[in-house]
């Protein structure tokens, strides 16, 4: 049984539930997206349709559909007459990404605090608690950091969930995808000391729950700017080497 067959079979299981059927194109999209975000497919690597099909035991049509979908999300570059490739990473694009995240997520957080409800507050606290109890697993330790990434995204999504704009939330999540690529690269090269991200998240959470809009935004922006500074240092060291 191929990987696709196994996924399709699992999608149909469940007692008394109507599980959503996973199409082959969706399977390829999900796994290709994961491999790009985690850096298993390297920046600049060509994505030959036949090779991608073989990698995920799928046909070429589902692969094309998945690649086009990822291209629309800017997680795959599409070149006329030259096919597809994994987007390159650069300091210039990183700086633009962080600047835009600071603008949009700070505004989304401000609106969420203005629209606060008890359920929203409870979810911010719950997602922070789950994140704070999840250990970061480093590549050199042979660890898979997927659990931390999932809970990290859940926390940041909880912060902006009450902003009142699904479009803004979608934009923020697209930028989270691109930031995740840089974070995985950062963990691999690991040339600087580890930061206390739990403390950074605690400060954001507490200011948010206290309703201190400016302080919450300040802590959020500070975290992203710290990420930028550390990544700049890492990438410059690697470039110099």
């Amino acid at each position: 049984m191929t990987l696709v067959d196994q996924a399709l079979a699992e999608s149909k299981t469940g007692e008394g539930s109507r599980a959503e059927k996973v199409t082959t194109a969706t399977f390829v999209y999900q796994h290709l997206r994961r491999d790009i975000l985690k850096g298993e497919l390297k920046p600049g690597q060509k994505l030959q349709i036949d090779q991608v099909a073989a990698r995920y035991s799928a046909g070429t049509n589902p692969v094309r559909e998945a690649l086009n979908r990822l291209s629309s999300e800017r997680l795959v570059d599409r070149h006329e007459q030259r096919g597809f490739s994994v987007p390159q990473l650069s300091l210039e694009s990183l700086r633009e990404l962080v600047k835009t995240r600071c603008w949009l997520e700070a505004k989304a957080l401000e609106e969420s605090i203005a629209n606060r409800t008890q359920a929203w507050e409870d979810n911010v606290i719950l997602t922070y608690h789950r994140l704070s109890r999840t250990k970061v697993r480093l590549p050199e330790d042979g660890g898979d950091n997927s659990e931390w990434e999932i809970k990290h995204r859940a926390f940041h999504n909880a912060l902006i969930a009450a902003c009142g704009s699904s479009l803004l939330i979608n934009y923020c999540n697209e930028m989270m995808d691109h930031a995740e690529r840089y974070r995985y690269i950062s963990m691999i090269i690991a040339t600087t000391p580890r930061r206390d991200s739990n403390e950074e998240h605690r400060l954001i959470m507490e200011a948010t729950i206290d309703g201190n809009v400016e302080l919450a935004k300040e802590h959020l922006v500070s975290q992203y700017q710290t990420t930028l500074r550390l990544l700049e240092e890492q990438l410059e060291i690697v470039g110099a080497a």
Side-chain angles (χ1 to χ4, degrees):
M1 178 180 289
T2 68
L3 290 173
V4 174
D5 292 335
Q6 183 178 354
L8 292 174
E10 290 174 354
S11 73
K12 299 175 184 178
T13 61
E15 297 179 1
S17 65
R18 296 178 60 186
E20 181 180 356
K21 182 178 179 180
V22 178
T23 66
T24 304
T26 298
F27 171 89
V28 175
Y29 162 81
Q30 291 172 340
H31 285 72
L32 183 55
R33 180 180 181 276
R34 177 202 63 194
D35 290 347
I36 291 171
L37 293 182
K38 295 177 69 173
E40 293 184 15
L41 294 170
K42 305 303 181 186
Q45 180 174 337
K46 291 183 179 179
L47 298 172
Q48 305 263 354
I49 290 178
D50 289 345
Q51 292 177 1
V52 174
R55 180 184 180 96
Y56 301 111
S57 304
T60 56
N61 286 337
V63 168
R64 287 191 182 93
E65 183 178 335
L67 287 168
N68 284 322
R69 183 175 173 185
L70 288 165
S71 176
S72 72
E73 297 174 5
R74 296 185 301 154
L75 287 173
V76 163
D77 284 341
R78 181 173 183 173
H79 313 279
E80 292 298 330
Q81 308 300 324
R82 292 189 293 133
F84 301 89
S85 66
V86 179
Q88 292 282 5
L89 299 178
S90 70
L91 281 174
E92 182 180 356
S93 61
L94 172 62
R95 289 165 182 150
E96 181 181 5
L97 171 64
V98 172
K99 179 171 65 175
T100 308
R101 287 192 78 188
C102 289
W103 289 341
L104 296 188
E105 289 192 43
K107 181 59 178 176
L109 178 56
E110 178 180 346
E111 292 298 315
S112 280
I113 294 174
N115 299 328
R116 63 193 303 148
T117 64
Q118 188 61 56
W120 173 76
E121 290 185 16
D122 290 345
N123 195 42
V124 169
I125 294 170
L126 177 61
T127 53
Y128 164 74
H129 175 72
R130 288 173 174 168
L131 175 60
S132 67
R133 293 176 64 84
T134 303
K135 181 180 178 182
V136 174
R137 299 187 180 278
L138 305 178
E140 61 262 34
D141 300 327
D144 180 355
N145 202 43
S146 300
E147 183 182 3
W148 186 90
E149 288 289 351
I150 290 169
K151 292 179 180 177
H152 180 249
R153 181 174 294 233
F155 171 68
H156 279 276
N157 269 320
L159 291 171
I160 64 175
C163 72
S165 171
S166 60
L167 287 174
L168 181 53
I169 291 172
N170 287 339
Y171 290 142
C172 290
N173 269 279
E174 182 177 320
M175 288 185 291
M176 288 179 195
D177 286 340
H178 292 276
E180 191 172 323
R181 292 188 66 209
Y182 283 95
R183 189 158 51 247
Y184 270 109
I185 294 296
S186 169
M187 293 176 66
I188 291 171
I189 58 182
T191 58
T192 58
R194 296 297 168 187
R195 61 203 284 189
D196 187 355
S197 60
N198 276 342
E199 177 65 10
E200 294 171 14
H201 292 128
R202 182 187 66 79
L203 291 172
I204 298 169
M205 182 273 296
E206 289 183 348
T208 297
I209 296 303
D210 289 343
N212 191 330
V213 175
E214 293 307 316
L215 185 59
K217 289 163 58 177
E218 178 183 329
H219 287 315
L220 181 69
V221 169
S222 176
Q223 183 181 57
Y224 292 163
Q225 289 177 338
T226 297
T227 299
L228 173 60
R229 177 176 56 80
L230 293 175
L231 281 168
E232 283 176 331
E233 292 173 1
Q234 290 175 302
L235 292 174
E236 286 171 356
I237 289 171
V238 171

